Amino acid sequence: MSDIQKAAKIIQDGGLVAFPTETVYGLGADALNPYAVAAIFEAKNRPTFDPLIVHVADPFQAEMLLAHPFPEKALKLIEQFWPGPMTLVLPKSKLVPDIVTSSLPNVAIRVPNHPLALDLIHESGRPIAAPSANSFGAVSPTTAEHVRQSLGDKVKMILDGGPCEVGVESTIISFVEKEPVVLRLGGLPLEAIELIIGKVAVSTGSKDKPMAPGQLLQHYAPRTPLRLIQGSVAPNAKMGWLGLNNPPKGFGAVEILSAEGSLIEAAAHLFAAMRRLDEKDLEMIMAQPVPDEGLGRAINDRLYRASVKS
Ligand code: TXA
Ligand code: MG
């Protein structure tokens, strides 16, 4: 039996498999089996009010999980960006168990752009519910080794597809209201979306607004306190630096996200860099915000959330 066949059998039997996607690694279970999905919440220690993304092989498989056909603007985006780092939220059909959506009437769906993820969905014949494969609130895994470190004893199998190419989670767009709204900035840049369907509203949750599911402010956080740099810093050996540029001298550890200043490369390196700094026994990680454009928006969003004290 190939690894994919073994993994598919585990999914069909109601077990958990961690698998790579182009964004981050996911912790997958049969989306149509509520007991299997419950095991995800248990493994992640995740509050059950936070709903899951369902991964499908193509738009046809997606439509079976939906109450209505895709709206026109959603179809335009799908044509351009699936498979890819884009999740759509739409009214669900009765097929989708309530535990997947935390009893919301809507389901989040995407077609991942990774051969192993697509093979697993095809081979198992099931849509696969999967959050990022980390303990709740922690930094998302971008390598199989990251998954092993945080959930190794809780999953039957980890499919290793090497480091994730995109490195930040998918962009989430809700089509529940009349006009689309971006709920999470992610691997598909806002500019790319707006090129296809025009201006869209962004509502990613804030300190003052009531929070929608998944917009928990403190998220994606290393254990070491992380601060966003505003103005200048006085470095010392107990401080780590995370940024695009070279820091002033004196930091105890340094992670440069992209020497060429590429935001694409920076996104791909972000979570692994946070983890490496977290292992260094530092008192503080100082993070330099990046230009707020393209993938920079998703990077700044993750840095900001990592900096908020719980
Ligand atoms: O790139 C990704 O999206 C990765 C890979 C594995 O696909 N998955 C991921 O899943 O980041 P997770 O569970 O860590 O984040 C999914 C987010 C959550 O914040 C959740 O609240 C939101 O999607 N979400 C899921 N279903 C929703 C729904 N019905 N309405 C609103 N938000 C929803
Ligand atoms: Mg997550």
Side-chain angles (χ1 to χ4, degrees):
M1 243 203 267
S2 71
D3 279 353
I4 286 290
Q5 285 168 327
K6 273 186 226 160
K9 179 82 172 55
I10 293 171
I11 295 286
Q12 289 167 347
D13 291 344
L16 303 183
V17 173
F19 63 97
T21 79
E22 78 281 33
T23 58
V24 300
Y25 276 71
L27 178 62
D30 177 356
L32 305 182
N33 176 346
Y35 299 99
V37 174
I40 294 178
F41 288 106
E42 195 176 311
K44 276 196 63 136
N45 228 334
R46 179 179 179 127
T48 39
F49 55 76
D50 204 14
L52 304 176
I53 295 175
V54 180
H55 298 70
V56 293
D58 53 53
F60 303 104
Q61 196 181 16
E63 274 203 323
M64 297 197 300
L65 307 176
L66 300 178
H68 318 290
F70 286 109
E72 201 187 321
K73 281 184 182 173
L75 274 179
K76 283 189 180 163
L77 291 175
I78 286 170
E79 260 174 44
Q80 291 289 324
F81 302 124
W82 271 1
M86 174 180 81
T87 296
L88 302 182
V89 177
L90 290 145
K92 78 178 191 75
S93 75
K94 290 203 183 85
L95 267 183
V96 182
D98 283 338
I99 187 166
V100 173
T101 64
S102 306
S103 298
L104 289 170
N106 317 305
V107 62
I109 300 190
R110 85 178 185 102
V111 179
N113 187 18
H114 194 291
L116 287 182
L118 292 171
D119 285 352
L120 182 62
I121 300 164
H122 278 129
E123 188 69 30
S124 64
R126 310 289 159 88
I128 296 182
S132 50
N134 51 277
S135 303
F136 180 72
V139 179
S140 291
T142 54
T143 66
E145 184 52 35
H146 294 162
V147 181
R148 234 167 263 130
Q149 284 163 11
S150 59
L151 297 176
D153 50 337
K154 294 182 179 145
V155 285
K156 287 229 168 92
M157 190 168 176
I158 301 171
L159 289 171
D160 190 341
C164 299
E165 227 179 292
V166 175
V168 289
E169 300 86 347
S170 60
T171 301
I172 304 181
I173 312 164
S174 170
F175 278 89
V176 167
E177 306 294 333
K178 207 153 162 281
E179 290 301 325
V181 181
V182 170
L183 299 181
R184 178 173 74 184
L185 297 161
L188 179 65
L190 188 61
E191 291 88 338
I193 296 168
E194 293 190 330
L195 214 54
I196 307 298
I197 60 168
K199 199 97 189 119
V200 289
V202 177
S203 174
T204 54
S206 73
K207 266 188 225 162
D208 334 304
K209 275 193 253 156
M211 280 176 290
Q215 299 188 329
L216 295 175
L217 212 45
Q218 222 261 343
H219 215 127
Y220 314 104
R223 285 179 305 267
T224 315
L226 182 147
R227 294 280 169 273
L228 285 175
I229 296 171
Q230 282 147 344
S232 60
V233 269
N236 69 54
K238 280 284 170 192
M239 273 183 189
W241 166 273
L242 180 66
L244 270 184
N245 304 117
N246 277 313
K249 281 205 175 65
F251 282 94
V254 172
E255 288 286 345
I256 305 290
L257 292 172
S258 167
E260 292 134 50
S262 153
L263 293 174
I264 295 171
E265 191 186 8
H269 292 164
L270 178 67
F271 289 146
M274 272 190 193
R275 279 170 190 268
R276 282 192 295 270
L277 288 173
D278 211 9
E279 284 161 8
K280 291 256 156 73
D281 205 24
L282 299 161
E283 275 166 14
M284 182 85 70
I285 298 170
M286 299 304 294
Q288 182 192 38
V290 301
D292 210 34
E293 61 192 36
L295 286 185
R297 291 180 214 271
I299 297 171
N300 286 334
D301 174 85
R302 304 307 183 269
L303 291 177
Y304 174 66
R305 283 173 209 268
S307 76
V308 177
K309 273 184 260 169
S310 53

